[in-house]
Amino acid sequence: MSLVPAAIQPPPVAEHRPPRARNSVQWLIIFGYLACAFAVTWRLWVDPAARMQAGDIQDVNLFAWFMHYDAVAIAHGHLPALVTAAMNAPRGINLMWNTSFLLPGIALAPVTLLAGPQVSLTIMLTLGFAGSAASLFWVLRRWGASIWAAALGGAVYGFSPALLNSGIGHYHLQFAVLPPLIIDRVLRIVTGRGSPVRDGVWLGLLVSAQLFIGEELLADTALTGLVLVLALAASHRHEVLGRARDGAYGLAISIGVAAVICGHALWAQFSGPLAQHNPPAGTNPFTNRPSFFVDPAGNLLLHTPGSAAAAASYSKGLAEYLAYLGWPLLAVLIVAVIRYWRDSRVRLAAVIWVVLEVLSLGGGAMHNGWFGLPADLLPFHWLQGSPVLSQVLPDRLSILADGAAGAVLAFSLDRVRSAAPKAWTWRWSVPAAVAVLAVVPLIPLPYQVTPVTPAPSGWEAAFSRLHLAPGARVLVVPVALGRSPQVLRWAADTGEPASMIGGYFIGPDRAGQQTIYIPGPTSTAAQYLDALWDGARPPSPLPPGLMRSDLSYWRPAAVVAVTSQDTRLSRFLTGLFGRPTFVAGSVLAWRLSGRHRDGRHRAAARETDLDAWRIPDR
């Protein structure tokens, strides 16, 4: 028995083109998506190894480091370790708790090794746009949408502002190719249109792949699938029991397949070293605001100076400004939903769209309120404490909401076309033109770019002369904190150091709760060194013995400082470790013996001087 009513089957306006002609048109659309993706990223392709998108340098450099880490592991004949001290030595990081982009990093390892990590990231960015659009296009076609309606729906998803802004630095969200395919397999299993075994296996494979691309997007997709199944069951209550057995069987197969592939990785994440937990988002989470849906950012073709300034001033950054659809498209979608609510395809897509957009408003105290309603009336308020959704940022649900909006648009266009007599082509042409015009405000501008920060002169020569053992810890100054992301870039482009102290990552604090970049038992010593490197005079006293304590914990085999010999930082490090072992270009390097590694031989003499310095508030 199938839950799929006649309305969700291919509409009576299905094309009568020969199969070869249909295939040609579909390939033309796919190549059109790819051309549009190149149009958005062309400034990066001018010099893909030396340019990155502007706006989120920290995250782009972090992803470059992950791509290099994955590639080096593949070059040595093994998969990347899920817990590694290559960053944040000696404690290390757990890759499963970070946006480590494992599957793309492994797949593009040859490109990374030959051309550099930034080239691999630009490839993934371009494929993220074209592939996401093509993915939804294929799914819409599979569920009966006509070619050109599906093409428009795919474009709404693949080039949505949500994906455009995610692509500024969040590659794991922007590569949204698999969610439509996962939803398609879920729908085939629960409706009876597919085989529980075959589709269950495919679903398990797709879920596993998405887990190693980005877990958060997988959680968002699972939530979307749950909304879809509940909406479908509510619409067809009498058929649910008839499909429950086969549906449960198919889902059980998918869980089994995913468990075999992902079991070890999930154990390493939740039961292995550096496991963590996260409290609910709290009073200031990453959420959408009502104005975000209608105020275009400055990276869209149609915007105003006021709307661009409002988007740019968002405290979470443009990479989290994800809700925009614009008044024209919102109006078209609302009219389409009301007019064609009886169509199961339109109704299911509309329910997903509305539910996800409402959930994207979050459940904490919203900025400027929400029409005076208390936060506990927002649905996400009751979900944000759950084990999985506590890790989800609500605003990112807009990515899949835009896919549902594209589906509403495509299926509604087909209903208009099927209702129009063949002699009245204007009754189809006018609504189609209105739909296209409603999508025009979503057209993106090409990314603004910025140069990749090259490694300092003497960087590679310094590490070559240090002759460090594999995995030897190195304290680089500036320390790789959130405000010094260039160190990750230098390491990604040169492979040195192989094990760095500090980093920019997600890890557990002493209570086991999630936090960002903690380079040691305390971060003040690292911040202090960064303040000296910046040339700023720190504002509060450095506790006596702190530097020696942190050096005893880090126990670096070498110190590498990007500075000249007449700076305050140089004098401070010389007081701790003596004269540099050598100078290479703009790099000072110290090769440390055992007694040097904790700074004991000079720290006592410098203790009174340390009291005179101050550390920055972070």
Side-chain angles (χ1 to χ4, degrees), residues 563-589:
T563 187
S564 60
Q565 297 187 67
D566 58 351
T567 62
R568 184 184 300 171
L569 172 63
S570 172
R571 293 193 294 271
F572 179 80
L573 293 175
T574 300
L576 283 176
F577 306 116
R579 296 180 60 84
T581 306
F582 57 83
V583 178
S586 59
V587 173
L588 308 184

Side-chain angles (χ1 to χ4, degrees), residues 424-489:
W424 296 0
T425 56
W426 62 270
R427 292 190 62 178
W428 154 251
S429 301
V430 172
V434 170
V436 171
L437 290 175
V439 172
V440 168
L442 305 186
I443 295 177
L445 294 173
Y447 276 123
Q448 297 296 320
V449 300
T450 188
V452 168
T453 304
S457 62
W459 178 268
E460 293 183 86
F463 282 98
S464 177
R465 291 179 61 183
L466 282 170
H467 301 294
L468 298 174
R473 305 168 195 167
V474 178
L475 174 61
V476 177
V477 186
V479 185
L481 301 178
R483 294 186 181 182
S484 306
Q486 64 269 40
V487 180
L488 295 176
R489 169 63 62 177

Side-chain angles (χ1 to χ4, degrees), residues 10-17 22 141 144-147 414 417-418:
V13 297
E15 296 87 353
H16 299 290
R17 299 183 181 90
R22 285 201 302 270
R141 288 288 292 156
S146 62
I147 287 182
D414 280 343
R417 184 179 177 186
S418 65

Side-chain angles (χ1 to χ4, degrees), residues 291-292 294-300 302-314 318 321 324:
S291 61
F292 291 2
V294 293
D295 288 340
N299 56 359
L300 298 179
L302 301 180
H303 64 271
T304 66
S307 69
S313 65
Y314 179 43
L318 196 59
Y321 194 87
Y324 179 75

Side-chain angles (χ1 to χ4, degrees), residues 516-586:
I516 298 178
Y517 56 88
I518 38 176
T522 62
S523 59
T524 50
Q527 294 167 357
Y528 180 75
L529 292 172
D530 273 1
L532 292 179
W533 183 80
D534 285 337
R537 188 171 182 83
S540 58
L542 182 69
L546 176 69
M547 186 65 66
R548 186 170 59 209
S549 172
D550 279 8
L551 285 171
S552 297
Y553 171 76
W554 292 330
R555 297 189 63 80
V559 175
V560 173
V562 181
T563 187
S564 60
Q565 297 187 67
D566 58 351
T567 62
R568 184 184 300 171
L569 172 63
S570 172
R571 293 193 294 271
F572 179 80
L573 293 175
T574 300
L576 283 176
F577 306 116
R579 296 180 60 84
T581 306
F582 57 83
V583 178
S586 59

Side-chain angles (χ1 to χ4, degrees), residues 367-456:
H367 182 75
N368 294 332
W370 173 237
F371 300 121
L373 296 176
D376 58 7
L377 291 184
L378 294 173
F380 198 82
H381 174 80
W382 304 103
L383 300 176
Q384 63 186 359
S386 61
V388 174
L389 293 181
S390 65
Q391 305 288 334
V392 168
L393 300 184
D395 62 328
R396 296 175 179 181
L397 291 168
S398 289
I399 294 174
L400 293 179
D402 288 350
V408 171
L409 192 64
F411 293 136
S412 300
L413 277 176
D414 280 343
R415 285 303 305 267
V416 173
R417 184 179 177 186
S418 65
K422 292 183 179 180
W424 296 0
T425 56
W426 62 270
R427 292 190 62 178
W428 154 251
S429 301
V430 172
V434 170
V436 171
L437 290 175
V439 172
V440 168
L442 305 186
I443 295 177
L445 294 173
Y447 276 123
Q448 297 296 320
V449 300
T450 188
V452 168
T453 304

